[in-house]
PDB file of all heavy atoms in Angstrom:
ATOM      1  N   LEU A  81     -21.199   1.332  -7.251  1.00 91.00           N
ATOM      2  CA  LEU A  81     -19.765   1.366  -7.482  1.00 91.00           C
ATOM      3  C   LEU A  81     -19.391   2.810  -7.752  1.00 91.00           C
ATOM      4  O   LEU A  81     -19.819   3.401  -8.733  1.00 91.00           O
ATOM      5  CB  LEU A  81     -19.392   0.466  -8.670  1.00 91.00           C
ATOM      6  CG  LEU A  81     -17.912   0.392  -9.013  1.00 91.00           C
ATOM      7  CD1 LEU A  81     -17.101  -0.174  -7.849  1.00 91.00           C
ATOM      8  CD2 LEU A  81     -17.708  -0.462 -10.261  1.00 91.00           C
ATOM      9  N   GLY A  82     -18.597   3.389  -6.855  1.00 92.00           N
ATOM     10  CA  GLY A  82     -18.255   4.802  -6.957  1.00 92.00           C
ATOM     11  C   GLY A  82     -16.871   5.062  -7.526  1.00 92.00           C
ATOM     12  O   GLY A  82     -16.576   6.159  -7.975  1.00 92.00           O
ATOM     13  N   GLY A  83     -16.026   4.047  -7.519  1.00 95.00           N
ATOM     14  CA  GLY A  83     -14.678   4.199  -8.036  1.00 95.00           C
ATOM     15  C   GLY A  83     -13.861   2.977  -7.690  1.00 95.00           C
ATOM     16  O   GLY A  83     -14.364   2.010  -7.118  1.00 95.00           O
ATOM     17  N   PHE A  84     -12.581   3.030  -8.042  1.00 97.00           N
ATOM     18  CA  PHE A  84     -11.730   1.877  -7.807  1.00 97.00           C
ATOM     19  C   PHE A  84     -10.267   2.280  -7.791  1.00 97.00           C
ATOM     20  O   PHE A  84      -9.888   3.321  -8.307  1.00 97.00           O
ATOM     21  CB  PHE A  84     -11.945   0.811  -8.888  1.00 97.00           C
ATOM     22  CG  PHE A  84     -11.557   1.288 -10.266  1.00 97.00           C
ATOM     23  CD1 PHE A  84     -10.272   1.099 -10.748  1.00 97.00           C
ATOM     24  CD2 PHE A  84     -12.473   1.949 -11.063  1.00 97.00           C
ATOM     25  CE1 PHE A  84      -9.908   1.556 -12.004  1.00 97.00           C
ATOM     26  CE2 PHE A  84     -12.121   2.407 -12.323  1.00 97.00           C
ATOM     27  CZ  PHE A  84     -10.833   2.215 -12.794  1.00 97.00           C
ATOM     28  N   TYR A  85      -9.486   1.434  -7.182  1.00 98.00           N
ATOM     29  CA  TYR A  85      -8.031   1.499  -7.253  1.00 98.00           C
ATOM     30  C   TYR A  85      -7.553   0.139  -7.759  1.00 98.00           C
ATOM     31  O   TYR A  85      -8.167  -0.890  -7.448  1.00 98.00           O
ATOM     32  CB  TYR A  85      -7.401   1.703  -5.868  1.00 98.00           C
ATOM     33  CG  TYR A  85      -7.574   3.069  -5.281  1.00 98.00           C
ATOM     34  CD1 TYR A  85      -8.684   3.385  -4.506  1.00 98.00           C
ATOM     35  CD2 TYR A  85      -6.606   4.052  -5.473  1.00 98.00           C
ATOM     36  CE1 TYR A  85      -8.836   4.634  -3.945  1.00 98.00           C
ATOM     37  CE2 TYR A  85      -6.760   5.308  -4.913  1.00 98.00           C
ATOM     38  CZ  TYR A  85      -7.872   5.595  -4.157  1.00 98.00           C
ATOM     39  OH  TYR A  85      -8.015   6.839  -3.595  1.00 98.00           O
ATOM     40  N   ILE A  86      -6.489   0.123  -8.499  1.00 98.00           N
ATOM     41  CA  ILE A  86      -5.776  -1.110  -8.816  1.00 98.00           C
ATOM     42  C   ILE A  86      -4.382  -0.923  -8.240  1.00 98.00           C
ATOM     43  O   ILE A  86      -3.689   0.035  -8.579  1.00 98.00           O
ATOM     44  CB  ILE A  86      -5.721  -1.371 -10.330  1.00 98.00           C
ATOM     45  CG1 ILE A  86      -7.135  -1.596 -10.868  1.00 98.00           C
ATOM     46  CG2 ILE A  86      -4.819  -2.579 -10.632  1.00 98.00           C
ATOM     47  CD1 ILE A  86      -7.214  -1.767 -12.364  1.00 98.00           C
ATOM     48  N   ILE A  87      -4.024  -1.806  -7.322  1.00 98.00           N
ATOM     49  CA  ILE A  87      -2.731  -1.691  -6.657  1.00 98.00           C
ATOM     50  C   ILE A  87      -1.916  -2.955  -6.892  1.00 98.00           C
ATOM     51  O   ILE A  87      -2.471  -4.027  -7.140  1.00 98.00           O
ATOM     52  CB  ILE A  87      -2.876  -1.420  -5.144  1.00 98.00           C
ATOM     53  CG1 ILE A  87      -3.570  -2.575  -4.432  1.00 98.00           C
ATOM     54  CG2 ILE A  87      -3.620  -0.107  -4.896  1.00 98.00           C
ATOM     55  CD1 ILE A  87      -3.588  -2.456  -2.916  1.00 98.00           C
ATOM     56  N   THR A  88      -0.606  -2.824  -6.793  1.00 98.00           N
ATOM     57  CA  THR A  88       0.299  -3.967  -6.915  1.00 98.00           C
ATOM     58  C   THR A  88       1.035  -4.105  -5.590  1.00 98.00           C
ATOM     59  O   THR A  88       1.796  -3.216  -5.205  1.00 98.00           O
ATOM     60  CB  THR A  88       1.304  -3.748  -8.064  1.00 98.00           C
ATOM     61  OG1 THR A  88       0.571  -3.518  -9.277  1.00 98.00           O
ATOM     62  CG2 THR A  88       2.202  -4.968  -8.236  1.00 98.00           C
ATOM     63  N   VAL A  89       0.763  -5.204  -4.903  1.00 98.00           N
ATOM     64  CA  VAL A  89       1.361  -5.453  -3.592  1.00 98.00           C
ATOM     65  C   VAL A  89       1.791  -6.920  -3.497  1.00 98.00           C
ATOM     66  O   VAL A  89       1.524  -7.708  -4.404  1.00 98.00           O
ATOM     67  CB  VAL A  89       0.380  -5.100  -2.447  1.00 98.00           C
ATOM     68  CG1 VAL A  89       0.129  -3.600  -2.387  1.00 98.00           C
ATOM     69  CG2 VAL A  89      -0.941  -5.837  -2.591  1.00 98.00           C
ATOM     70  N   ASP A  90       2.402  -7.274  -2.377  1.00 97.00           N
ATOM     71  CA  ASP A  90       2.918  -8.633  -2.210  1.00 97.00           C
ATOM     72  C   ASP A  90       1.835  -9.679  -1.967  1.00 97.00           C
ATOM     73  O   ASP A  90       1.975 -10.823  -2.379  1.00 97.00           O
ATOM     74  CB  ASP A  90       3.927  -8.687  -1.065  1.00 97.00           C
ATOM     75  CG  ASP A  90       5.203  -7.926  -1.392  1.00 97.00           C
ATOM     76  OD1 ASP A  90       5.534  -7.792  -2.588  1.00 97.00           O
ATOM     77  OD2 ASP A  90       5.851  -7.456  -0.443  1.00 97.00           O
ATOM     78  N   ASP A  91       0.768  -9.291  -1.252  1.00 96.00           N
ATOM     79  CA  ASP A  91      -0.225 -10.306  -0.891  1.00 96.00           C
ATOM     80  C   ASP A  91      -1.553  -9.654  -0.493  1.00 96.00           C
ATOM     81  O   ASP A  91      -1.671  -8.431  -0.422  1.00 96.00           O
ATOM     82  CB  ASP A  91       0.292 -11.199   0.239  1.00 96.00           C
ATOM     83  CG  ASP A  91       0.747 -10.421   1.466  1.00 96.00           C
ATOM     84  OD1 ASP A  91       0.146  -9.372   1.786  1.00 96.00           O
ATOM     85  OD2 ASP A  91       1.714 -10.863   2.114  1.00 96.00           O
ATOM     86  N   LEU A  92      -2.534 -10.507  -0.223  1.00 96.00           N
ATOM     87  CA  LEU A  92      -3.870 -10.047   0.142  1.00 96.00           C
ATOM     88  C   LEU A  92      -3.841  -9.218   1.424  1.00 96.00           C
ATOM     89  O   LEU A  92      -4.558  -8.219   1.531  1.00 96.00           O
ATOM     90  CB  LEU A  92      -4.820 -11.238   0.312  1.00 96.00           C
ATOM     91  CG  LEU A  92      -6.237 -10.915   0.773  1.00 96.00           C
ATOM     92  CD1 LEU A  92      -6.953  -9.990  -0.216  1.00 96.00           C
ATOM     93  CD2 LEU A  92      -7.035 -12.191   1.005  1.00 96.00           C
ATOM     94  N   ASP A  93      -3.020  -9.591   2.383  1.00 96.00           N
ATOM     95  CA  ASP A  93      -2.955  -8.832   3.634  1.00 96.00           C
ATOM     96  C   ASP A  93      -2.585  -7.369   3.373  1.00 96.00           C
ATOM     97  O   ASP A  93      -3.185  -6.461   3.948  1.00 96.00           O
ATOM     98  CB  ASP A  93      -1.962  -9.460   4.613  1.00 96.00           C
ATOM     99  CG  ASP A  93      -2.465 -10.786   5.171  1.00 96.00           C
ATOM    100  OD1 ASP A  93      -3.693 -10.991   5.200  1.00 96.00           O
ATOM    101  OD2 ASP A  93      -1.626 -11.604   5.577  1.00 96.00           O
ATOM    102  N   GLN A  94      -1.609  -7.141   2.499  1.00 97.00           N
ATOM    103  CA  GLN A  94      -1.233  -5.764   2.174  1.00 97.00           C
ATOM    104  C   GLN A  94      -2.375  -5.058   1.444  1.00 97.00           C
ATOM    105  O   GLN A  94      -2.659  -3.886   1.713  1.00 97.00           O
ATOM    106  CB  GLN A  94       0.033  -5.737   1.325  1.00 97.00           C
ATOM    107  CG  GLN A  94       1.283  -6.054   2.097  1.00 97.00           C
ATOM    108  CD  GLN A  94       2.531  -5.965   1.228  1.00 97.00           C
ATOM    109  OE1 GLN A  94       2.471  -5.681   0.035  1.00 97.00           O
ATOM    110  NE2 GLN A  94       3.673  -6.206   1.844  1.00 97.00           N
ATOM    111  N   ALA A  95      -3.037  -5.759   0.530  1.00 97.00           N
ATOM    112  CA  ALA A  95      -4.170  -5.162  -0.195  1.00 97.00           C
ATOM    113  C   ALA A  95      -5.270  -4.756   0.781  1.00 97.00           C
ATOM    114  O   ALA A  95      -5.851  -3.674   0.665  1.00 97.00           O
ATOM    115  CB  ALA A  95      -4.707  -6.137  -1.241  1.00 97.00           C
ATOM    116  N   LEU A  96      -5.528  -5.597   1.764  1.00 97.00           N
ATOM    117  CA  LEU A  96      -6.567  -5.289   2.757  1.00 97.00           C
ATOM    118  C   LEU A  96      -6.182  -4.077   3.604  1.00 97.00           C
ATOM    119  O   LEU A  96      -7.044  -3.245   3.930  1.00 97.00           O
ATOM    120  CB  LEU A  96      -6.828  -6.501   3.648  1.00 97.00           C
ATOM    121  CG  LEU A  96      -7.471  -7.701   2.958  1.00 97.00           C
ATOM    122  CD1 LEU A  96      -7.531  -8.892   3.900  1.00 97.00           C
ATOM    123  CD2 LEU A  96      -8.858  -7.347   2.435  1.00 97.00           C
ATOM    124  N   GLU A  97      -4.913  -3.972   3.958  1.00 97.00           N
ATOM    125  CA  GLU A  97      -4.471  -2.818   4.748  1.00 97.00           C
ATOM    126  C   GLU A  97      -4.676  -1.514   3.975  1.00 97.00           C
ATOM    127  O   GLU A  97      -5.116  -0.515   4.540  1.00 97.00           O
ATOM    128  CB  GLU A  97      -3.021  -2.978   5.188  1.00 97.00           C
ATOM    129  CG  GLU A  97      -2.833  -4.020   6.272  1.00 97.00           C
ATOM    130  CD  GLU A  97      -3.707  -3.764   7.498  1.00 97.00           C
ATOM    131  OE1 GLU A  97      -3.744  -2.618   8.007  1.00 97.00           O
ATOM    132  OE2 GLU A  97      -4.372  -4.722   7.951  1.00 97.00           O
TER     133      GLU A  97
END
Side-chain angles (χ1 to χ4, degrees):
L81 181 61
F84 63 91
Y85 288 89
I86 296 176
I87 63 173
T88 303
V89 292
D90 292 334
D91 54 35
L92 177 60
D93 290 335
Q94 286 182 359
L96 293 173
E97 288 305 312

